[in-house]
C-alpha cells in the first residue's frame, strides 16, 4: 500500500476518533439547557460527565489537522483558505466552549457560561457537517487549486443537510452518553431524549449518506450506519445503555467512513474534476511521509493507551445529586 493511501486512511481514522469522542461532548453541551432543569446541581453533574475527558478528545482534532498539514500540505492550504470563515467560527466556538467549561465552576452565576457552553457545542457540530458535506460534494477550484467561491457557495442545500445530520448525530450521541454516565432522573431524561431524537436522526442521516455515497465501500458504510442507529434505538428502549452507546459510536464512525470513501481518491474534489486535489497531487514528498509513518507508529499507541486509561479511571456513573 502506498504511503499516500496510508496517510489518507490515518487521517480518516483521526477524524473518526474526533467525531466519536468529541461528538458526545457536543451533544452534552447541546442538551444542557434541556436536561439541567433540576437546578445547578444537575447541570454540574451533566458537565462533570465530560469534565475529565473533553480536552483530551480535542487532541484528535489537533492531530488530524497536523497530519493533514504534514502529509497533504496542498489539501491543508486550499481547505483553510477556501473554508476560512467557517473554520474560524468553529475555532472561536471551541475557544468559547473551553473557557465556559473551565470558568463555570469558578463563578457565582453559571447562566452565562452555560449559554456559552451550549452555543460553543451546537456551532461546531453544525459547521463541521457543512464543511465535510462540501468536501464530498466538491467545491469550485481553479487550475492552481485555489478556492474561487464565496461563503454562500458553501451554504448549499446538500451542505446544510450534512450540517443537520451531524448535529442530530452528535445530539443523540450525547443523550446516549449521558444515559450511560448518570443515574436517576437524569438518566431517564437522557434516555427519553435519545429515543425521541432517533427517528429524525435516522431519516436525516440516511438521506444525506445515500446522497453522498459513491462506490461499494460507501454503500457498505451506509449499511453499517443504519445498523448502528437501529442498535442504539433498540438498546435505549430496552435500557441497555452500553449497547446504545456502542451502536451510536458505530453509526458516527460509519458516517465519517462514508464521507472519506466518497471522496477517495480525491482529498478535495472540485466541481471541475480536472482541478481536483487528489492523494497524489496534494501529498508531501515520499521522504516526509516515511518519517511521519515511523513517528506515528511509535507515538500513536502511547496516546491511545493513555486516553483509554483515562476513560477507564472515570468510568463510573455520576448521580444527579452532585453539588460540589
Amino acid at each position: 500500500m502506498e504511503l499516500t493511501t496510508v496517510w489518507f486512511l490515518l487521517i480518516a481514522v483521526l477524524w473518526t476518533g474526533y467525531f466519536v469522542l468529541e461528538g458526545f461532548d457536543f451533544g452534552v453541551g447541546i442538551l444542557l439547557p434541556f436536561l439541567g432543569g433540576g437546578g445547578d446541581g444537575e447541570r454540574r453533574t451533566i458537565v462533570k460527565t465530560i469534565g475529565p475527558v473533553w480536552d483530551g478528545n480535542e487532541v484528535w482534532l489537533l492531530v488530524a489537522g497536523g497530519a493533514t498539514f504534514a502529509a497533504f500540505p496542498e489539501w491543508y492550504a486550499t481547505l483553510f483558505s477556501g473554508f476560512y470563515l467557517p473554520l474560524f467560527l468553529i475555532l472561536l466556538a471551541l475557544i468559547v466552549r473551553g473557557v465556559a467549561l473551565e470558568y463555570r465552576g469558578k463563578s457565582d452565576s453559571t447562566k452565562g457560561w452555560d449559554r456559552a457552553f451550549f452555543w460553543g457545542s451546537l456551532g461546531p457540530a453544525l459547521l463541521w457537517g457543512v464543511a465535510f458535506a462540501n468536501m464530498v460534494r466538491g467545491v469550485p477550484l481553479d487550475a492552481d487549486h485555489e478556492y474561487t467561491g464565496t461563503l454562500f457557495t458553501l451554504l448549499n442545500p446538500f451542505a446544510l443537510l450534512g450540517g443537520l445530520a451531524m448535529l442530530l448525530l452528535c445530539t443523540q450521541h450525547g443523550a446516549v452518553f449521558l444515559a450511560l454516565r448518570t443515574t436517576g432522573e437524569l438518566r431517564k431524561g437522557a434516555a427519553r431524549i435519545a429515543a425521541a431524537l432517533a427517528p429524525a436522526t435516522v431519516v436525516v442521516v440516511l438521506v444525506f449518506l445515500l446522497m453522498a455515497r459513491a462506490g461499494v465501500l460507501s454503500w457498505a458504510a451506509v449499511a453499517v450506519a443504519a445498523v448502528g442507529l437501529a442498535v442504539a434505538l433498540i438498546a435505549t428502549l430496552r435500557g441497555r445503555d452500553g449497547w446504545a452507546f456502542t451502536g451510536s459510536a458505530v453509526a458516527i464512525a460509519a458516517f465519517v467512513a462514508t464521507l472519506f470513501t466518497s471522496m477517495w481518491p480525491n482529498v478535495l474534489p472540485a466541481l471541475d474534476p480536472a482541478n481536483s486535489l487528489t492523494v497524489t497531487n496534494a501529498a508531501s514528498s515520499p521522504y516526509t511521509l516515511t518519517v511521519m509513518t515511523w513517528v506515528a507508529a511509535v507515538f500513536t499507541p502511547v496516546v491511545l493507551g493513555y486516553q483509554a486509561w483515562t476513560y477507564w479511571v472515570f468510568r463510573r456513573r455520576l448521580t444527579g445529586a452532585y453539588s460540589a
Side-chain angles (χ1 to χ4, degrees):
M1 185 182 295
E2 295 182 357
L3 288 180
T4 52
T5 303
V6 170
W7 276 95
F8 181 84
L9 292 174
L10 181 57
I11 290 170
V13 169
L14 291 171
W15 279 108
T16 301
Y18 174 69
F19 285 121
V20 168
L21 299 177
E22 187 79 334
F24 65 72
D25 289 346
F26 291 150
V28 168
I30 293 167
L31 292 172
L32 182 64
F34 307 99
L35 282 173
D40 189 56
E42 283 196 353
R43 290 194 294 273
R44 285 178 181 269
T45 300
I46 292 171
V47 173
K48 194 186 177 190
T49 60
I50 64 170
V53 298
W54 71 268
D55 48 355
N57 294 342
E58 290 193 348
V59 170
W60 289 80
L61 173 62
L62 299 177
V63 178
T68 303
F69 173 76
F72 300 101
E74 210 41 63
W75 181 14
Y76 182 94
T78 301
L79 183 65
F80 277 77
S81 59
F83 290 46
Y84 179 82
L85 184 55
L87 294 177
F88 173 77
L89 292 175
I90 289 173
L91 177 60
L92 180 63
L94 292 176
I95 292 172
V96 169
R97 176 172 164 269
V99 171
L101 283 169
E102 291 296 333
Y103 279 89
R104 76 176 307 280
K106 301 175 176 64
S107 175
D108 294 332
S109 176
T110 61
K111 289 184 178 180
W113 297 120
D114 289 346
R115 292 192 191 98
F117 182 31
F118 170 77
W119 290 108
S121 301
L122 186 148
L126 177 67
L127 291 174
W128 278 130
V130 170
F132 272 91
N134 275 293
M135 291 168 63
V136 171
R137 172 180 175 269
V139 294
L141 300 179
D142 61 20
D144 296 322
H145 301 141
E146 293 184 1
Y147 180 74
T148 58
T150 65
L151 173 63
F152 296 103
T153 306
L154 301 177
L155 300 178
N156 55 80
F158 178 74
L160 293 176
L161 179 63
L164 179 60
M166 181 65 79
L167 179 61
L168 287 171
L169 269 178
C170 290
T171 306
Q172 186 182 17
H173 196 42
V176 170
F177 175 77
L178 284 171
L180 177 67
R181 294 282 285 115
T182 59
T183 61
E185 290 303 314
L186 265 182
R187 179 193 168 278
K188 292 178 182 178
R192 284 195 296 269
I193 289 179
L197 282 174
T201 303
V202 169
V203 171
V204 173
V205 168
L206 292 184
V207 168
F208 172 74
L209 292 183
L210 289 172
M211 293 174 64
R213 90 285 174 272
V216 177
L217 290 177
S218 296
W219 276 109
V222 172
V224 172
V227 171
L229 290 171
V231 169
L233 174 58
I234 294 171
T236 297
L237 295 175
R238 293 185 176 182
R240 304 295 298 272
D241 300 327
W243 280 106
F245 182 77
T246 301
S248 181
V250 168
I252 291 181
F255 182 90
V256 179
T258 304
L259 300 180
F260 276 87
T261 54
S262 297
M263 286 193 292
W264 172 263
N266 299 313
V267 291
L268 186 59
L271 296 180
D272 180 356
N275 297 333
S276 294
L277 283 168
T278 68
V279 293
T280 302
N281 64 23
S284 292
S285 67
Y287 177 77
T288 300
L289 294 177
T290 300
V291 172
M292 288 174 56
T293 302
W294 281 106
V295 172
V298 172
F299 288 102
T300 300
V302 176
V303 175
L304 291 176
Y306 173 76
Q307 193 158 34
W309 176 79
T310 302
Y311 275 93
W312 176 256
V313 170
F314 297 101
R315 68 188 182 279
R316 297 185 183 279
R317 290 179 184 265
L318 303 177
T319 66
Y322 177 78
S323 58

